[in-house]
Amino acid sequence: MSRKQSPEINAGSMADIAFLLLIFFLVTTTMNIDAGIARKIPPKEEVPLDILVNERNVLEVNINKNNEIFADGRTIPLSELKQIAIDFIDNGGGLDSNKQKCDWCEGAQSKTSSDHPTKAIISIKTDRITNYETYITTLDVLNSAYTHLRNKLSVKLYKRNYESLLEDFKKSNNSDKNIQDKIKLIREKYPLLISDAEINN
């Protein structure tokens, strides 16, 4: 008796199909690209410069190994940091380096806080084992304090906020001189002065 042979399935074309599917997914899949943080490391100075800074013009923000934030002479929750930074930057309690008063500041003009937004430095100091996420979140809150003040000044001067000026400037491929001058003026009045101090051991 002859045995029946089972029919064989030709799988030769399966490899071609799998290869085509792989190419399809590679071409159509989009990758998320993290933009990162727009910070530049300053170049190393051959001879360090001794710059005298009045103590009242420096707001120290310390993050310890337990990810607790110490600012304004006390341990604070992260939710309070933005207002502390705004009050410090916008204090307007003195004169700038050209002996000009801050006539756009709306702060309390306290003699124990910063003289002028162009002199107000925020110094962040972290511990070696501080959580990186806590550091980034703290930095983001401080940046948002500057954005808040810039938006407020832009609305006062130009009847539109600072962020919309930036968007329009990008849409113009960075070529609109009028918007560029407005952005420059606001940045000069509220310069971003955030310093990364050395890490605690």
Side-chain angles (χ1 to χ4, degrees):
M1 291 180 64
S2 62
R3 293 183 179 178
K4 287 185 178 180
Q5 291 183 349
S6 58
E8 292 182 3
I9 299 173
N10 184 7
S13 61
M14 293 294 286
D16 294 336
I17 294 169
F19 185 67
L20 287 171
L21 284 171
L22 179 63
I23 291 172
F24 172 76
F25 286 117
L26 284 173
V27 171
T28 58
T29 302
T30 57
M31 301 286 184
N32 289 333
I33 300 170
D34 293 330
I37 303 170
R39 300 292 300 277
K40 289 184 180 177
I41 298 172
K44 187 176 180 182
E45 297 284 344
E46 292 294 327
V47 180
L49 299 172
D50 292 330
I51 301 171
L52 295 175
V53 178
N54 193 329
E55 193 175 321
R56 66 182 265 193
N57 288 321
V58 179
L59 173 65
E60 289 189 6
V61 179
N62 293 299
I63 310 172
N64 67 14
K65 62 183 179 181
N66 299 320
N67 299 308
E68 296 171 327
I69 300 169
F70 185 84
D72 202 28
R74 60 195 170 90
T75 303
I76 61 163
L78 186 63
S79 58
E80 290 183 19
L81 182 60
K82 181 177 177 179
Q83 191 58 51
I84 288 170
I86 289 169
D87 293 342
F88 170 75
I89 299 162
D90 203 38
N91 180 55
L95 306 174
D96 67 2
S97 53
N98 297 321
K99 308 298 181 189
Q100 299 293 319
K101 189 168 174 54
C102 180
D103 55 3
W104 62 90
C105 291
E106 297 178 3
Q109 298 183 359
S110 168
K111 294 299 178 188
T112 58
S113 191
S114 72
D115 290 321
H116 198 274
T118 58
K119 289 184 174 181
I121 300 169
I122 299 177
S123 173
I124 303 178
K125 201 170 191 177
T126 60
D127 193 90
R128 285 197 181 276
I129 58 173
T130 297
N131 189 311
Y132 191 67
E133 186 180 346
T134 305
Y135 168 74
I136 295 299
T137 306
T138 304
L139 194 59
D140 188 50
V141 168
L142 293 173
N143 280 316
S144 71
Y146 278 98
T147 303
H148 172 82
L149 291 169
R150 287 173 172 180
N151 279 334
K152 193 163 74 169
L153 180 62
S154 182
V155 168
K156 186 177 179 180
L157 296 176
Y158 310 121
K159 305 292 186 265
R160 54 186 303 198
N161 67 31
Y162 172 75
E163 289 173 311
S164 71
L165 288 175
L166 289 177
E167 286 174 13
D168 287 351
F169 189 57
K170 284 178 185 175
K171 286 177 186 175
S172 73
N173 293 322
N174 303 342
S175 61
D176 192 321
K177 186 76 169 68
N178 184 35
I179 296 176
Q180 185 180 19
D181 290 342
K182 290 177 180 177
I183 291 169
K184 185 180 176 185
L185 178 69
I186 292 168
R187 285 179 176 173
E188 284 173 354
K189 290 187 180 292
Y190 286 115
L192 186 66
L193 301 175
I194 298 176
S195 164
D196 291 321
E198 62 183 38
I199 298 171
N200 294 325
N201 291 321

